[in-house]
Amino acid sequence: MAVLLVVHHSPSPTLAELLEAALAGARDPDITGVEVRVRPALVCSPAEALEADGYLLGTPANIGYMSGALKHWFDQLLYLRSGDLLRRPYGLYVHGGSDTTGAVRSVEGAASAMGLRRVRPPVEVTGPVTKAAREACADLGALVAAELMDDD
């Protein structure tokens, strides 16, 4: 069974809401053969990253950058053997008060350095969470999970 690892930093009710929406999409009953594992970024180990076949990443935009927690997770992955994560798919959702540009750029730069493959543009949410934002996160979760489904 394929493993989708959801690595997130959700310190606010807003980010918790986006996480729940993304998980609902990833756990859609039409998606089979994919186990969804959820880990806060600060406690997710490199071993867990290696066990996964794909990643769904969630972060706030903090001072124009990804959260320190998600940065910590990426920093740990630097010590893996080169190519261990090559071409594994990932998706990203980001919440910011008014801007997400720097956070998206920082995550995409780190993911690229790790050799990860983005499956769609990030879901960027500013301000309060809307129905459209929840739906976009659910769609993102479903898309990344579906990417891992066995073609049989």
Side-chain angles (χ1 to χ4, degrees), residues 46-125:
E48 291 171 300
L50 285 173
E51 292 171 357
D53 300 291
Y55 311 93
L56 181 56
L57 309 174
T59 184
N62 288 340
I63 314 170
Y65 202 73
M66 74 176 99
S67 70
L70 192 59
K71 173 73 166 65
H72 171 75
W73 181 74
F74 275 118
D75 285 347
Q76 291 183 92
L77 299 182
L78 286 173
Y79 300 104
L80 298 177
R81 293 176 308 277
S82 177
D84 281 344
L85 305 178
L86 196 60
R87 303 290 303 150
R88 292 184 191 181
Y90 83 95
L92 170 66
Y93 65 90
V94 179
H95 178 266
S98 61
D99 184 42
T100 58
T101 306
V104 168
R105 184 175 45 247
S106 63
V107 171
E108 288 187 333
S112 177
M114 301 295 166
L116 299 179
R117 175 178 52 87
R118 187 179 82 177
V119 297
R120 67 159 281 180
V123 173
E124 299 181 57
V125 180

Side-chain angles (χ1 to χ4, degrees), residues 121-144:
V123 173
E124 299 181 57
V125 180
T126 55
V129 175
T130 63
K131 180 181 178 186
R134 285 189 299 276
E135 289 172 352
C137 281
D139 289 347
L140 175 67
L143 182 63
V144 177

Side-chain angles (χ1 to χ4, degrees), residues 19 34 39 69 77 106 130 148:
L19 171 63
V34 178
R39 298 293 287 152
L77 299 182
S106 63
T130 63
L148 302 177

